[in-house]
Amino acid sequence: EVRLLESGGGLVQPGGSLRLSCAASGFTFGNYAMSWVRQAPGKGLDWVSDIYGRGVSTYYVSTYYAESVKGRFTISRENPKNTLYLQMNSLRAEDTAVYYCLKLGGLQPGNYYFASWGQGTLVTVSS
Amino acid sequence: QSVLTQPPSVSGAPGQRVTISCTGSSSNIGAGYDVHWYQQLPGTAPKLLIYDNSNRPSGVPDRFSGSKSGTSASLAITGLQAEDEADYYCQSYDSSLRVFGGGTKLTVL
């Protein structure tokens, strides 16, 4: 069974930083593209970032970001630890949301889908 | 404003059939990218409902079906049940970005 467990959320002041982690289990983590999606309170789903690149240990990875977070957020992964990260800097009030970690499914990047979802971690940006 | 357009709400009585539309453009659905659907029950994380336009993951009842034509896609739910009351989102791909519809709240009357 695929399990994705996010952590690292909390209250942070505008302009601050936070690093989210996602512990994955139940599948060969290094073989799959991964993603972060967020959902502001009472709002819809909003894609944040993808990280591609399959294999074990060191390999070239590709990363993609929504325009709203480009230059402020950094997605990364540590395959030996089966862990996905999202480093969030220069946080704004509009970044307040539940952040979900996702395992991507599908054969081609243009047609990847969000196959498995974590339970999410809440990030609140407020003074 | 979402790249993919969904009706904000739909409703139906138990046992009825409802459809939820997802309208895109020539840069996403019309460009040949697949559409995927997600169901979010109240207070829970979303889950994959339909992938690659019309495929159901294991465990999803065959009451749920998806289709795609041109620049639009649809999710159909037959034999509506009370537990189907949820938010539904479509998702596709556009200019190297993953895009969602704004979501549709399904109310079972």
Side-chain angles (χ1 to χ4, degrees):
Chain A
E1 179 191 2
V2 172
R3 289 200 170 193
L4 301 167
L5 184 61
E6 303 93 338
S7 61
L11 175 63
V12 61
Q13 291 189 338
S17 298
L18 214 54
R19 188 176 85 154
L20 305 182
S21 299
C22 171
S25 62
F27 64 103
T28 306
F29 179 74
N31 285 353
Y32 287 87
M34 299 291 293
S35 186
W36 290 95
V37 166
R38 66 185 179 183
Q39 186 172 33
K43 301 296 184 182
L45 301 173
D46 184 30
W47 170 75
V48 174
S49 181
D50 281 358
I51 184 165
Y52 300 172
R54 301 184 177 191
V56 179
S57 187
T58 57
Y59 55 92
Y60 178 73
V61 295
S62 299
T63 57
Y64 300 86
Y65 299 92
E67 286 297 324
S68 59
V69 307
K70 195 176 291 185
R72 301 188 298 124
F73 290 12
T74 302
I75 189 171
S76 62
R77 63 194 300 164
E78 200 167 354
N79 286 349
K81 293 186 176 182
N82 291 338
T83 303
L84 177 72
Y85 302 101
L86 186 68
Q87 176 67 43
M88 304 185 295
N89 298 330
S90 303
L91 282 161
R92 308 166 179 166
E94 54 264 36
D95 295 318
T96 294
V98 173
Y99 284 73
Y100 295 102
C101 166
L102 300 110
K103 169 180 171 279
L104 290 169
L107 298 176
Q108 297 178 344
N111 289 324
Y112 283 163
Y113 50 88
F114 302 114
S116 302
W117 296 67
Q119 287 306 298
T121 186
L122 176 62
V123 172
T124 303
V125 184
S126 175
S127 55
Chain B
Q1 192 165 349
S2 302
V3 173
L4 305 178
T5 301
Q6 297 180 235
S9 64
V10 298
S11 62
Q16 283 189 332
R17 178 181 187 269
V18 296
T19 62
I20 299 172
S21 61
C22 175
T23 302
S25 67
S26 58
S27 63
N28 42 69
I29 299 175
Y33 294 114
D34 289 338
V35 177
H36 320 291
W37 292 89
Y38 305 89
Q39 177 193 57
Q40 186 173 30
L41 297 171
T44 70
K47 77 164 194 178
L48 179 66
L49 192 66
I50 298 286
Y51 66 96
D52 295 352
N53 306 314
S54 59
N55 296 306
R56 286 185 307 276
S58 62
V60 174
D62 59 7
R63 301 186 296 104
F64 295 90
S65 63
S67 64
K68 171 190 158 183
S69 178
T71 59
S72 296
S74 289
L75 173 70
I77 310 172
T78 59
L80 204 58
Q81 299 180 4
E83 60 258 37
D84 298 334
E85 189 159 288
D87 294 324
Y88 294 84
Y89 296 90
C90 62
Q91 177 253 313
S92 189
Y93 190 75
D94 189 323
S95 305
S96 299
L97 307 174
R98 302 203 189 283
V99 292
F100 286 99
T104 298
K105 182 174 182 58
L106 169 62
T107 300
V108 181
L109 302 171

mmCIF file of all heavy atoms in Angstrom, chain A residues 39 43-45 47 50 52 65 100 109-114 117-118, chain B residues 33-34 36 38 40 45-48 51-52 89 91 93 97-98 100:
data_model
loop_
_atom_site.group_PDB
_atom_site.id
_atom_site.type_symbol
_atom_site.label_atom_id
_atom_site.label_comp_id
_atom_site.label_asym_id
_atom_site.label_seq_id
_atom_site.Cartn_x
_atom_site.Cartn_y
_atom_site.Cartn_z
ATOM 1 N N GLN A 39 -3.968 23.436 -1.305
ATOM 2 C CA GLN A 39 -5.376 23.814 -1.292
ATOM 3 C C GLN A 39 -5.584 24.844 -0.193
ATOM 4 O O GLN A 39 -5.489 24.513 0.992
ATOM 5 C CB GLN A 39 -6.265 22.591 -1.065
ATOM 6 C CG GLN A 39 -7.748 22.874 -1.169
ATOM 7 C CD GLN A 39 -8.585 21.613 -1.130
ATOM 8 O OE1 GLN A 39 -8.240 20.625 -0.468
ATOM 9 N NE2 GLN A 39 -9.703 21.613 -1.857
ATOM 10 N N LYS A 43 -10.913 26.607 -0.721
ATOM 11 C CA LYS A 43 -10.675 26.831 -2.143
ATOM 12 C C LYS A 43 -10.379 25.519 -2.869
ATOM 13 O O LYS A 43 -10.395 24.450 -2.281
ATOM 14 C CB LYS A 43 -9.490 27.800 -2.323
ATOM 15 C CG LYS A 43 -9.698 29.147 -1.656
ATOM 16 C CD LYS A 43 -10.852 29.917 -2.261
ATOM 17 C CE LYS A 43 -10.980 31.291 -1.640
ATOM 18 N NZ LYS A 43 -12.144 32.043 -2.210
ATOM 19 N N GLY A 44 -10.087 25.651 -4.168
ATOM 20 C CA GLY A 44 -9.810 24.478 -4.988
ATOM 21 C C GLY A 44 -8.355 24.048 -4.938
ATOM 22 O O GLY A 44 -7.550 24.573 -4.171
ATOM 23 N N LEU A 45 -8.036 23.071 -5.775
ATOM 24 C CA LEU A 45 -6.691 22.511 -5.828
ATOM 25 C C LEU A 45 -5.788 23.360 -6.719
ATOM 26 O O LEU A 45 -6.218 23.883 -7.753
ATOM 27 C CB LEU A 45 -6.754 21.078 -6.364
ATOM 28 C CG LEU A 45 -7.617 20.126 -5.533
ATOM 29 C CD1 LEU A 45 -7.747 18.775 -6.244
ATOM 30 C CD2 LEU A 45 -7.057 19.954 -4.145
ATOM 31 N N TRP A 47 -1.814 23.234 -8.308
ATOM 32 C CA TRP A 47 -0.549 22.525 -8.476
ATOM 33 C C TRP A 47 0.612 23.456 -8.125
ATOM 34 O O TRP A 47 0.611 24.636 -8.505
ATOM 35 C CB TRP A 47 -0.420 22.043 -9.919
ATOM 36 C CG TRP A 47 0.936 21.523 -10.253
ATOM 37 C CD1 TRP A 47 1.475 20.334 -9.884
ATOM 38 C CD2 TRP A 47 1.937 22.191 -11.025
ATOM 39 N NE1 TRP A 47 2.744 20.210 -10.381
ATOM 40 C CE2 TRP A 47 3.055 21.332 -11.084
ATOM 41 C CE3 TRP A 47 2.001 23.420 -11.676
ATOM 42 C CZ2 TRP A 47 4.228 21.663 -11.769
ATOM 43 C CZ3 TRP A 47 3.154 23.765 -12.356
ATOM 44 C CH2 TRP A 47 4.260 22.889 -12.396
ATOM 45 N N ASP A 50 6.575 19.841 -9.597
ATOM 46 C CA ASP A 50 6.876 18.450 -9.946
ATOM 47 C C ASP A 50 8.376 18.239 -9.892
ATOM 48 O O ASP A 50 9.160 19.148 -10.179
ATOM 49 C CB ASP A 50 6.468 18.136 -11.388
ATOM 50 C CG ASP A 50 5.000 17.887 -11.582
ATOM 51 O OD1 ASP A 50 4.232 17.916 -10.603
ATOM 52 O OD2 ASP A 50 4.619 17.662 -12.756
ATOM 53 N N TYR A 52 10.844 15.271 -11.650
ATOM 54 C CA TYR A 52 10.967 14.070 -12.455
ATOM 55 C C TYR A 52 12.342 13.454 -12.215
ATOM 56 O O TYR A 52 13.135 13.944 -11.432
ATOM 57 C CB TYR A 52 10.860 14.373 -13.950
ATOM 58 C CG TYR A 52 9.594 15.008 -14.405
ATOM 59 C CD1 TYR A 52 9.492 15.467 -15.718
ATOM 60 C CD2 TYR A 52 8.497 15.172 -13.577
ATOM 61 C CE1 TYR A 52 8.333 16.056 -16.172
ATOM 62 C CE2 TYR A 52 7.339 15.775 -14.025
ATOM 63 C CZ TYR A 52 7.266 16.215 -15.323
ATOM 64 O OH TYR A 52 6.133 16.809 -15.774
ATOM 65 N N TYR A 65 7.718 24.321 -11.756
ATOM 66 C CA TYR A 65 7.045 25.101 -10.713
ATOM 67 C C TYR A 65 5.904 25.912 -11.306
ATOM 68 O O TYR A 65 5.980 26.390 -12.440
ATOM 69 C CB TYR A 65 8.028 26.060 -10.036
ATOM 70 C CG TYR A 65 9.181 25.379 -9.356
ATOM 71 C CD1 TYR A 65 10.380 25.158 -10.031
ATOM 72 C CD2 TYR A 65 9.071 24.940 -8.039
ATOM 73 C CE1 TYR A 65 11.447 24.520 -9.417
ATOM 74 C CE2 TYR A 65 10.125 24.301 -7.409
ATOM 75 C CZ TYR A 65 11.303 24.091 -8.102
ATOM 76 O OH TYR A 65 12.358 23.447 -7.490
ATOM 77 N N TYR A 100 -0.227 19.025 -0.104
ATOM 78 C CA TYR A 100 -0.278 17.591 -0.300
ATOM 79 C C TYR A 100 0.940 17.108 -1.082
ATOM 80 O O TYR A 100 1.356 17.744 -2.063
ATOM 81 C CB TYR A 100 -1.522 17.191 -1.090
ATOM 82 C CG TYR A 100 -2.835 17.447 -0.399
ATOM 83 C CD1 TYR A 100 -3.624 18.537 -0.733
ATOM 84 C CD2 TYR A 100 -3.299 16.577 0.590
ATOM 85 C CE1 TYR A 100 -4.850 18.767 -0.113
ATOM 86 C CE2 TYR A 100 -4.519 16.805 1.217
ATOM 87 C CZ TYR A 100 -5.285 17.898 0.863
ATOM 88 O OH TYR A 100 -6.491 18.119 1.485
ATOM 89 N N PRO A 109 5.164 12.573 -19.188
ATOM 90 C CA PRO A 109 4.995 13.733 -18.306
ATOM 91 C C PRO A 109 3.759 14.571 -18.606
ATOM 92 O O PRO A 109 3.106 15.052 -17.683
ATOM 93 C CB PRO A 109 6.292 14.517 -18.535
ATOM 94 C CG PRO A 109 7.302 13.471 -18.861
ATOM 95 C CD PRO A 109 6.536 12.462 -19.699
ATOM 96 N N GLY A 110 3.430 14.728 -19.878
ATOM 97 C CA GLY A 110 2.269 15.531 -20.218
ATOM 98 C C GLY A 110 0.958 14.908 -19.787
ATOM 99 O O GLY A 110 -0.059 15.585 -19.678
ATOM 100 N N ASN A 111 0.976 13.629 -19.526
ATOM 101 C CA ASN A 111 -0.240 12.921 -19.136
ATOM 102 C C ASN A 111 -0.141 12.296 -17.752
ATOM 103 O O ASN A 111 -0.948 11.435 -17.394
ATOM 104 C CB ASN A 111 -0.597 11.856 -20.172
ATOM 105 C CG ASN A 111 -1.081 12.467 -21.469
ATOM 106 O OD1 ASN A 111 -1.759 13.496 -21.464
ATOM 107 N ND2 ASN A 111 -0.717 11.861 -22.580
ATOM 108 N N TYR A 112 0.836 12.727 -16.955
ATOM 109 C CA TYR A 112 0.917 12.245 -15.583
ATOM 110 C C TYR A 112 -0.341 12.644 -14.825
ATOM 111 O O TYR A 112 -0.921 13.690 -15.054
ATOM 112 C CB TYR A 112 2.119 12.833 -14.864
ATOM 113 C CG TYR A 112 3.460 12.235 -15.198
ATOM 114 C CD1 TYR A 112 4.635 12.910 -14.881
ATOM 115 C CD2 TYR A 112 3.578 11.000 -15.821
ATOM 116 C CE1 TYR A 112 5.886 12.375 -15.174
ATOM 117 C CE2 TYR A 112 4.821 10.459 -16.120
ATOM 118 C CZ TYR A 112 5.968 11.155 -15.794
ATOM 119 O OH TYR A 112 7.204 10.633 -16.080
ATOM 120 N N TYR A 113 -0.713 11.808 -13.883
ATOM 121 C CA TYR A 113 -1.839 12.118 -13.012
ATOM 122 C C TYR A 113 -1.407 11.889 -11.567
ATOM 123 O O TYR A 113 -0.404 11.247 -11.287
ATOM 124 C CB TYR A 113 -3.060 11.264 -13.351
ATOM 125 C CG TYR A 113 -2.782 9.782 -13.452
ATOM 126 C CD1 TYR A 113 -2.835 8.957 -12.332
ATOM 127 C CD2 TYR A 113 -2.467 9.210 -14.679
ATOM 128 C CE1 TYR A 113 -2.572 7.613 -12.422
ATOM 129 C CE2 TYR A 113 -2.206 7.850 -14.784
ATOM 130 C CZ TYR A 113 -2.253 7.053 -13.656
ATOM 131 O OH TYR A 113 -1.996 5.721 -13.759
ATOM 132 N N PHE A 114 -2.186 12.472 -10.641
ATOM 133 C CA PHE A 114 -1.875 12.385 -9.217
ATOM 134 C C PHE A 114 -2.462 11.091 -8.668
ATOM 135 O O PHE A 114 -3.608 11.035 -8.262
ATOM 136 C CB PHE A 114 -2.423 13.604 -8.496
ATOM 137 C CG PHE A 114 -1.881 14.906 -9.051
ATOM 138 C CD1 PHE A 114 -2.716 15.803 -9.699
ATOM 139 C CD2 PHE A 114 -0.538 15.218 -8.932
ATOM 140 C CE1 PHE A 114 -2.216 16.990 -10.217
ATOM 141 C CE2 PHE A 114 -0.032 16.399 -9.448
ATOM 142 C CZ PHE A 114 -0.877 17.291 -10.101
ATOM 143 N N TRP A 117 -2.283 10.292 -2.878
ATOM 144 C CA TRP A 117 -2.234 11.537 -2.116
ATOM 145 C C TRP A 117 -1.900 11.266 -0.658
ATOM 146 O O TRP A 117 -2.359 10.292 -0.072
ATOM 147 C CB TRP A 117 -3.602 12.229 -2.166
ATOM 148 C CG TRP A 117 -4.043 12.663 -3.519
ATOM 149 C CD1 TRP A 117 -4.364 11.874 -4.579
ATOM 150 C CD2 TRP A 117 -4.237 14.009 -3.952
ATOM 151 N NE1 TRP A 117 -4.733 12.640 -5.655
ATOM 152 C CE2 TRP A 117 -4.674 13.961 -5.301
ATOM 153 C CE3 TRP A 117 -4.092 15.251 -3.337
ATOM 154 C CZ2 TRP A 117 -4.950 15.108 -6.045
ATOM 155 C CZ3 TRP A 117 -4.380 16.399 -4.073
ATOM 156 C CH2 TRP A 117 -4.796 16.320 -5.411
ATOM 157 N N GLY A 118 -1.124 12.169 -0.070
ATOM 158 C CA GLY A 118 -0.952 12.146 1.376
ATOM 159 C C GLY A 118 -2.149 12.812 2.035
ATOM 160 O O GLY A 118 -3.087 13.235 1.361
ATOM 161 N N TYR B 33 -3.887 16.370 -24.527
ATOM 162 C CA TYR B 33 -3.510 15.922 -23.194
ATOM 163 C C TYR B 33 -4.703 15.264 -22.495
ATOM 164 O O TYR B 33 -5.845 15.681 -22.650
ATOM 165 C CB TYR B 33 -2.989 17.093 -22.364
ATOM 166 C CG TYR B 33 -1.688 17.647 -22.890
ATOM 167 C CD1 TYR B 33 -1.608 18.926 -23.426
ATOM 168 C CD2 TYR B 33 -0.519 16.885 -22.860
ATOM 169 C CE1 TYR B 33 -0.426 19.428 -23.925
ATOM 170 C CE2 TYR B 33 0.675 17.375 -23.354
ATOM 171 C CZ TYR B 33 0.719 18.644 -23.890
ATOM 172 O OH TYR B 33 1.900 19.124 -24.384
ATOM 173 N N ASP B 34 -4.392 14.236 -21.739
ATOM 174 C CA ASP B 34 -5.439 13.503 -21.048
ATOM 175 C C ASP B 34 -6.046 14.327 -19.911
ATOM 176 O O ASP B 34 -5.433 15.249 -19.380
ATOM 177 C CB ASP B 34 -4.878 12.211 -20.454
ATOM 178 C CG ASP B 34 -4.539 11.183 -21.522
ATOM 179 O OD1 ASP B 34 -5.112 11.278 -22.638
ATOM 180 O OD2 ASP B 34 -3.716 10.301 -21.247
ATOM 181 N N HIS B 36 -7.941 13.983 -16.129
ATOM 182 C CA HIS B 36 -8.057 13.119 -14.954
ATOM 183 C C HIS B 36 -9.037 13.764 -13.979
ATOM 184 O O HIS B 36 -9.174 14.990 -13.952
ATOM 185 C CB HIS B 36 -6.689 12.926 -14.293
ATOM 186 C CG HIS B 36 -5.571 12.753 -15.277
ATOM 187 N ND1 HIS B 36 -5.453 11.633 -16.069
ATOM 188 C CD2 HIS B 36 -4.556 13.585 -15.630
ATOM 189 C CE1 HIS B 36 -4.390 11.772 -16.862
ATOM 190 N NE2 HIS B 36 -3.836 12.944 -16.615
ATOM 191 N N TYR B 38 -10.711 13.831 -9.895
ATOM 192 C CA TYR B 38 -10.461 13.553 -8.485
ATOM 193 C C TYR B 38 -11.732 13.827 -7.679
ATOM 194 O O TYR B 38 -12.483 14.751 -7.995
ATOM 195 C CB TYR B 38 -9.315 14.418 -7.945
ATOM 196 C CG TYR B 38 -8.058 14.252 -8.762
ATOM 197 C CD1 TYR B 38 -7.837 15.058 -9.871
ATOM 198 C CD2 TYR B 38 -7.135 13.256 -8.479
ATOM 199 C CE1 TYR B 38 -6.714 14.882 -10.671
ATOM 200 C CE2 TYR B 38 -6.011 13.069 -9.267
ATOM 201 C CZ TYR B 38 -5.815 13.885 -10.368
ATOM 202 O OH TYR B 38 -4.703 13.696 -11.155
ATOM 203 N N GLN B 40 -13.117 14.620 -3.799
ATOM 204 C CA GLN B 40 -12.723 15.022 -2.455
ATOM 205 C C GLN B 40 -13.951 14.995 -1.551
ATOM 206 O O GLN B 40 -14.809 15.879 -1.629
ATOM 207 C CB GLN B 40 -12.078 16.402 -2.434
ATOM 208 C CG GLN B 40 -11.531 16.778 -1.067
ATOM 209 C CD GLN B 40 -10.744 18.086 -1.077
ATOM 210 O OE1 GLN B 40 -11.010 18.984 -1.879
ATOM 211 N NE2 GLN B 40 -9.748 18.199 -0.200
ATOM 212 N N ALA B 45 -8.604 14.205 2.120
ATOM 213 C CA ALA B 45 -7.757 14.503 0.977
ATOM 214 C C ALA B 45 -8.425 14.006 -0.303
ATOM 215 O O ALA B 45 -9.196 13.043 -0.283
ATOM 216 C CB ALA B 45 -6.400 13.833 1.148
ATOM 217 N N PRO B 46 -8.144 14.651 -1.420
ATOM 218 C CA PRO B 46 -8.685 14.161 -2.684
ATOM 219 C C PRO B 46 -8.158 12.762 -2.997
ATOM 220 O O PRO B 46 -7.140 12.327 -2.447
ATOM 221 C CB PRO B 46 -8.159 15.173 -3.712
ATOM 222 C CG PRO B 46 -7.822 16.391 -2.919
ATOM 223 C CD PRO B 46 -7.353 15.874 -1.595
ATOM 224 N N LYS B 47 -8.866 12.069 -3.877
ATOM 225 C CA LYS B 47 -8.380 10.782 -4.363
ATOM 226 C C LYS B 47 -8.636 10.696 -5.864
ATOM 227 O O LYS B 47 -9.545 11.333 -6.392
ATOM 228 C CB LYS B 47 -9.044 9.620 -3.635
ATOM 229 C CG LYS B 47 -10.456 9.318 -4.086
ATOM 230 C CD LYS B 47 -10.900 7.939 -3.604
ATOM 231 C CE LYS B 47 -12.151 7.487 -4.332
ATOM 232 N NZ LYS B 47 -12.585 6.139 -3.936
ATOM 233 N N LEU B 48 -7.809 9.918 -6.533
ATOM 234 C CA LEU B 48 -7.951 9.723 -7.971
ATOM 235 C C LEU B 48 -9.218 8.937 -8.277
ATOM 236 O O LEU B 48 -9.436 7.867 -7.721
ATOM 237 C CB LEU B 48 -6.726 8.984 -8.513
ATOM 238 C CG LEU B 48 -6.703 8.677 -10.000
ATOM 239 C CD1 LEU B 48 -6.631 9.966 -10.820
ATOM 240 C CD2 LEU B 48 -5.529 7.762 -10.334
ATOM 241 N N TYR B 51 -8.575 8.285 -14.535
ATOM 242 C CA TYR B 51 -7.328 8.730 -15.142
ATOM 243 C C TYR B 51 -7.333 8.437 -16.636
ATOM 244 O O TYR B 51 -8.071 7.565 -17.104
ATOM 245 C CB TYR B 51 -6.113 8.098 -14.455
ATOM 246 C CG TYR B 51 -5.986 6.591 -14.631
ATOM 247 C CD1 TYR B 51 -5.174 6.060 -15.622
ATOM 248 C CD2 TYR B 51 -6.680 5.721 -13.798
ATOM 249 C CE1 TYR B 51 -5.056 4.698 -15.788
ATOM 250 C CE2 TYR B 51 -6.564 4.353 -13.953
ATOM 251 C CZ TYR B 51 -5.743 3.845 -14.942
ATOM 252 O OH TYR B 51 -5.639 2.483 -15.107
ATOM 253 N N ASP B 52 -6.516 9.206 -17.338
ATOM 254 C CA ASP B 52 -6.431 9.033 -18.803
ATOM 255 C C ASP B 52 -7.813 9.063 -19.456
ATOM 256 O O ASP B 52 -8.166 8.180 -20.244
ATOM 257 C CB ASP B 52 -5.699 7.736 -19.151
ATOM 258 C CG ASP B 52 -4.244 7.755 -18.727
ATOM 259 O OD1 ASP B 52 -3.771 8.826 -18.297
ATOM 260 O OD2 ASP B 52 -3.589 6.706 -18.799
ATOM 261 N N TYR B 89 -12.907 17.438 -9.113
ATOM 262 C CA TYR B 89 -11.976 18.295 -9.854
ATOM 263 C C TYR B 89 -11.467 17.576 -11.098
ATOM 264 O O TYR B 89 -11.096 16.402 -11.028
ATOM 265 C CB TYR B 89 -10.764 18.644 -8.989
ATOM 266 C CG TYR B 89 -11.075 19.467 -7.764
ATOM 267 C CD1 TYR B 89 -11.387 18.863 -6.553
ATOM 268 C CD2 TYR B 89 -11.039 20.858 -7.817
ATOM 269 C CE1 TYR B 89 -11.673 19.619 -5.423
ATOM 270 C CE2 TYR B 89 -11.314 21.624 -6.688
ATOM 271 C CZ TYR B 89 -11.630 20.991 -5.500
ATOM 272 O OH TYR B 89 -11.910 21.743 -4.388
ATOM 273 N N GLN B 91 -8.438 17.672 -14.147
ATOM 274 C CA GLN B 91 -7.035 18.105 -14.213
ATOM 275 C C GLN B 91 -6.438 17.693 -15.552
ATOM 276 O O GLN B 91 -6.721 16.616 -16.065
ATOM 277 C CB GLN B 91 -6.247 17.473 -13.061
ATOM 278 C CG GLN B 91 -4.760 17.777 -13.043
ATOM 279 C CD GLN B 91 -3.901 16.603 -13.449
ATOM 280 O OE1 GLN B 91 -4.108 15.493 -12.978
ATOM 281 N NE2 GLN B 91 -2.926 16.833 -14.310
ATOM 282 N N TYR B 93 -3.057 19.256 -18.530
ATOM 283 C CA TYR B 93 -1.686 19.753 -18.682
ATOM 284 C C TYR B 93 -1.703 20.883 -19.705
ATOM 285 O O TYR B 93 -2.409 20.793 -20.719
ATOM 286 C CB TYR B 93 -0.821 18.611 -19.179
ATOM 287 C CG TYR B 93 0.666 18.847 -19.189
ATOM 288 C CD1 TYR B 93 1.407 18.824 -18.020
ATOM 289 C CD2 TYR B 93 1.348 19.034 -20.389
ATOM 290 C CE1 TYR B 93 2.782 18.993 -18.036
ATOM 291 C CE2 TYR B 93 2.716 19.207 -20.413
ATOM 292 C CZ TYR B 93 3.439 19.174 -19.239
ATOM 293 O OH TYR B 93 4.804 19.335 -19.249
ATOM 294 N N LEU B 97 2.685 22.956 -17.411
ATOM 295 C CA LEU B 97 2.096 23.137 -16.092
ATOM 296 C C LEU B 97 0.902 22.210 -15.937
ATOM 297 O O LEU B 97 0.170 21.961 -16.900
ATOM 298 C CB LEU B 97 1.632 24.585 -15.907
ATOM 299 C CG LEU B 97 2.646 25.686 -16.179
ATOM 300 C CD1 LEU B 97 1.961 27.040 -16.094
ATOM 301 C CD2 LEU B 97 3.801 25.611 -15.196
ATOM 302 N N ARG B 98 0.720 21.712 -14.731
ATOM 303 C CA ARG B 98 -0.481 20.914 -14.465
ATOM 304 C C ARG B 98 -1.587 21.886 -14.040
ATOM 305 O O ARG B 98 -1.348 22.781 -13.229
ATOM 306 C CB ARG B 98 -0.216 19.891 -13.363
ATOM 307 C CG ARG B 98 0.909 19.000 -13.753
ATOM 308 C CD ARG B 98 0.982 17.668 -13.112
ATOM 309 N NE ARG B 98 2.269 17.110 -13.516
ATOM 310 C CZ ARG B 98 2.484 16.600 -14.730
ATOM 311 N NH1 ARG B 98 1.521 16.524 -15.604
ATOM 312 N NH2 ARG B 98 3.683 16.149 -15.061
ATOM 313 N N PHE B 100 -5.806 22.538 -12.967
ATOM 314 C CA PHE B 100 -7.036 21.998 -12.419
ATOM 315 C C PHE B 100 -8.217 22.841 -12.846
ATOM 316 O O PHE B 100 -8.079 24.041 -13.134
ATOM 317 C CB PHE B 100 -6.999 22.017 -10.890
ATOM 318 C CG PHE B 100 -6.127 20.978 -10.253
ATOM 319 C CD1 PHE B 100 -4.857 21.296 -9.810
ATOM 320 C CD2 PHE B 100 -6.596 19.679 -10.070
ATOM 321 C CE1 PHE B 100 -4.057 20.330 -9.203
ATOM 322 C CE2 PHE B 100 -5.804 18.718 -9.454
ATOM 323 C CZ PHE B 100 -4.533 19.046 -9.022
#
